[in-house]
Amino acid sequence: MIKQELREEVAQATRLFWEKDLSPGQDSGDTSLRDPQTNLIYICPRPKPGVLHIPNWGVIKDEHIVVINQQGEVVDDFGLEPTVEAPMHLAIYEARPEVNAIVHSHAVWSSAFAVTGKNIPLILAEQSLRLGGEVRCAEYGSVGSDDIARNIVKALEGHKNAALMMNHGAVCLGKNFEEAFIVSNFLEKGAKTALLGTVLGKLITRRPDEILDQRLLKKAK
Ligand SMILES: [Zn+2]
C-alpha cells in the first residue's frame, strides 16, 4: 500500500537536504525512506529531459517521489524513474534492517576526504556516539553500479551510520530522517574539524573504547 504521507515526508526531507547544502543542484545526491510495514521504499526521482525537469531538490514535490519495492521495481503509477543510485539504497536497506532513512549527500567537507580516499579519523566524542567511530571511505565504484552498492555496504560494516563514496559523496543512515540528518551534521563537522586540525598539527585520534567512560558503557547495556 502506497502512503501519501510518506511521499510528503520524503519530499519535505529532500527540500531540507537542499537547504542544508548537502546537494549543489540538479539531481546531485538523493534521499530515501523505507516503510517498515510494507518494505516499500520512497525515493528521489531521476530527472530526465522532456519528462522531469528539477533544477534543484529545493523545488521537489510529493508527486515527484517514486515508490519502489525491494527488487527496485516501480510500484506507483506516476511514470517517473527512481534515482540512478536506487541500487545502492536498496543494498543498504537489505544489509541494515534497523535503517529506514538514507541521506546520500554531495557535501563539501566530507567530499574532501572522499576525493583523497581517506577515512575520517575518530577525533571527537560525538563521532563515536553518532557515526559509529571512524568513517570509512568505500572502494571506488562508478555512479549507479553494483560495485558502488557492494562497496558502500562493506564500508558500513560494524554498524557504522556513515560512509564515504570515493570521488563522489557520502551516505548517512538513521531510523528516520531526523537521525539521518543528525548523522550528516556530525559527519560534516567531523570532516571540517579534522581538516582544520591538520593545519595546526597532528590529529590526536581516539579508540572507540576511550570515548565513553566504562561505567556509562555498562549502564547503556
Ligand atoms: Zn551521488
Side-chain angles (χ1 to χ4, degrees), residues 99-162:
V99 168
N100 288 317
I102 298 172
V103 169
H104 160 41
S105 59
H106 285 193
V108 173
W109 294 103
S110 52
S111 292
F113 282 83
V115 297
T116 48
K118 287 188 170 20
N119 297 348
I120 302 174
L122 175 52
I123 51 170
L124 295 167
E126 60 205 25
Q127 286 175 285
S128 179
L129 300 171
R130 298 291 187 173
L131 308 181
E134 180 185 55
V135 177
R136 297 189 193 106
C137 183
E139 292 289 315
Y140 183 71
S142 47
V143 173
S145 65
D146 289 337
D147 283 346
I148 209 169
R150 197 168 36 245
N151 294 343
I152 204 75
V153 165
K154 191 160 185 285
L156 287 164
E157 278 175 4
H159 291 279
K160 304 268 184 194
N161 294 326

Side-chain angles (χ1 to χ4, degrees), residues 20 48 52 60 63 83 114 117 127 144 151 155 169-170 181 185 190 197 199:
K20 287 162 88 60
K48 237 183 181 176
L52 176 66
I60 195 165
E63 63 260 34
T83 166
Q127 286 175 285
N151 294 343
F181 278 119
N185 286 344
V199 175

Side-chain angles (χ1 to χ4, degrees), residues 2-198:
I2 295 174
K3 298 175 184 171
Q4 174 58 19
E5 67 271 23
L6 296 188
R7 301 182 84 165
E8 288 169 12
E9 188 177 341
V10 177
Q12 191 181 29
T14 307
R15 291 192 293 270
L16 182 65
F17 177 69
W18 161 256
E19 286 163 21
K20 287 162 88 60
D21 268 345
L22 297 172
S23 163
Q26 287 283 357
D27 58 341
S28 176
D30 40 55
T31 69
S32 72
L33 187 70
R34 167 165 61 184
D35 178 0
Q37 290 173 335
T38 62
N39 273 324
L40 292 179
I41 290 144
Y42 296 69
I43 192 163
C44 285
R46 179 181 183 178
K48 237 183 181 176
V51 180
L52 176 66
H53 173 68
I54 295 184
N56 61 67
W57 290 140
V59 299
I60 195 165
K61 298 189 174 80
D62 51 280
E63 63 260 34
H64 298 137
I65 302 303
V66 181
V67 188
I68 58 176
N69 61 19
Q70 289 170 290
Q71 289 71 46
E73 298 155 343
V74 177
V75 297
D76 66 38
D77 50 11
F78 283 76
L80 298 177
E81 286 178 42
T83 166
V84 291
E85 294 297 8
M88 179 183 75
H89 288 249
L90 289 168
I92 294 171
Y93 287 127
E94 192 183 343
R96 298 287 294 272
E98 82 284 13
V99 168
N100 288 317
I102 298 172
V103 169
H104 160 41
S105 59
H106 285 193
V108 173
W109 294 103
S110 52
S111 292
F113 282 83
V115 297
T116 48
K118 287 188 170 20
N119 297 348
I120 302 174
L122 175 52
I123 51 170
L124 295 167
E126 60 205 25
Q127 286 175 285
S128 179
L129 300 171
R130 298 291 187 173
L131 308 181
E134 180 185 55
V135 177
R136 297 189 193 106
C137 183
E139 292 289 315
Y140 183 71
S142 47
V143 173
S145 65
D146 289 337
D147 283 346
I148 209 169
R150 197 168 36 245
N151 294 343
I152 204 75
V153 165
K154 191 160 185 285
L156 287 164
E157 278 175 4
H159 291 279
K160 304 268 184 194
N161 294 326
L164 303 173
M165 301 157 71
M166 196 180 283
N167 299 107
H168 188 152
V171 290
C172 298
L173 320 181
K175 282 201 290 286
N176 50 42
F177 274 128
E178 184 182 331
E179 272 193 17
F181 278 119
I182 288 171
V183 168
S184 169
N185 286 344
F186 283 117
L187 176 68
E188 289 310 301
K189 189 195 167 189
K192 188 175 180 178
T193 306
L195 270 168
L196 292 175
T198 55

